Amino acid sequence: MVFFMKIGVIAIQGAVSEHVDALRRALAERGVDAEVVAIKHKGIVPKCGGIVIPGGESTTLCRLLAREGIAQEVKDAATRGIPILGTCAGLIVLAKEGDKQVEKTSQELLAIMDTKVNRNAFGRQRDSFEAELKVKILDSPFTGIFIRAPGIVSCGPGVRVLSKLEDLIIAAEQGNVLALAFHPELTGDLRIHQYFLDKIFKNTSNDRETTTI
Ligand code: GLN
């Protein structure tokens, strides 16, 4: 079976190429043919069966997503049940509510997840660190790489908590939307990207063309 499907990585700011690479390797691992595309402007998101919002700087990301008209497209995709993965700044962008810093910078969060986030939850003194994490969807620990990482401080009942660190939620999912405070694309471990691909290929509502060979 060949899926002529696009999986898009928002590429207007931040750690884009690592996600593109990880997705391509994960697709190769399962022998599935799908195209991984960089999303720099409007018009591509509606053609994608899955979308990644990478890490970076969330104020800039939010501003550019809105300016380019991509923000609304991502919201519409979420409404259609298209799987979305947000990592680090992506977790912030997906949230419904932010902290004082978010308010101060008038960040327009996409409000796709019923979550409240703290932008720099682990403090400036610990800019980056690694931690072995128990993640509910995986059967053995995952090495989380945290870089000026945010955290989810609270969430609504529709959100499933997948992992916690120091009382903060650092991995969660709501339906087909997955948010991580760490960077799975910076490890060689593709299990989370595979989990995301599972969601994409299970999702029946995406518009894909299927051909049997
Ligand atoms: N804390 C950053 C922000 O507020 C996100 C950091 C990251 O994505 N590595 O945008």
Side-chain angles (χ1 to χ4, degrees):
M1 196 92 95
V2 177
F3 295 104
F4 293 111
M5 185 198 280
K6 285 190 202 306
I7 299 170
V9 180
I10 301 289
I12 47 180
Q13 202 261 340
V16 179
S17 62
E18 293 84 353
H19 270 297
V20 172
D21 275 7
L23 286 168
R24 287 190 178 142
R25 278 185 289 127
L27 285 162
E29 246 181 34
R30 55 168 72 201
V32 171
D33 203 6
E35 194 188 350
V36 182
V37 293
I39 300 170
K40 290 196 166 110
H41 49 79
K42 209 178 155 176
I44 304 168
V45 168
K47 297 180 186 142
C48 290
I51 295 150
V52 176
I53 307 176
E57 209 282 313
S58 58
T59 314
T60 313
L61 253 171
C62 286
R63 189 160 29 85
L64 294 177
L65 281 171
R67 195 186 74 188
E68 299 299 320
I70 300 171
Q72 191 56 48
E73 290 185 336
V74 175
K75 284 191 193 195
D76 293 345
T79 308
R80 285 186 285 118
I82 297 295
I84 300 174
L85 166 65
T87 57
C88 205
L91 168 145
I92 302 169
V93 173
L94 287 170
K96 190 167 93 180
E97 214 184 318
D99 52 12
K100 289 218 162 58
Q101 201 187 351
V102 171
E103 275 170 37
K104 216 166 61 191
T105 52
S106 325
Q107 256 171 277
E108 277 182 55
L109 305 178
L110 296 184
I112 287 172
M113 287 185 88
D114 190 6
T115 50
K116 179 175 172 157
V117 296
N118 177 343
R119 272 187 67 174
N120 288 294
F122 295 94
R124 301 211 171 267
Q125 67 282 19
R126 284 170 71 198
D127 247 12
S128 70
F129 62 95
E130 284 186 22
E132 288 305 300
L133 308 171
K134 271 193 194 153
V135 186
K136 263 188 196 148
I137 52 172
L138 306 175
D139 49 21
S140 59
F142 191 93
T143 305
I145 299 179
F146 294 80
I147 305 169
R148 291 181 297 285
I152 297 172
V153 289
S154 60
C155 60
V159 178
R160 180 180 173 217
V161 174
L162 300 178
S163 188
K164 277 181 131 186
L165 188 66
E166 297 172 12
D167 285 337
L168 285 156
I169 299 163
I170 45 128
E173 71 180 353
Q174 183 173 351
N176 270 345
V177 185
L178 182 62
L180 310 171
F182 50 95
H183 290 265
E185 76 285 7
L186 300 182
T187 63
D189 191 336
L190 294 173
R191 286 179 294 162
I192 292 182
H193 284 87
Q194 289 295 7
Y195 179 75
F196 179 56
L197 290 183
D198 283 344
K199 281 187 179 294
I200 293 175
F201 292 116
K202 268 186 216 145
N203 184 36
T204 49
S205 64
N206 58 38
D207 42 38
R208 66 188 179 200
E209 254 181 79
T210 309
T211 322
T212 306
I213 50 169

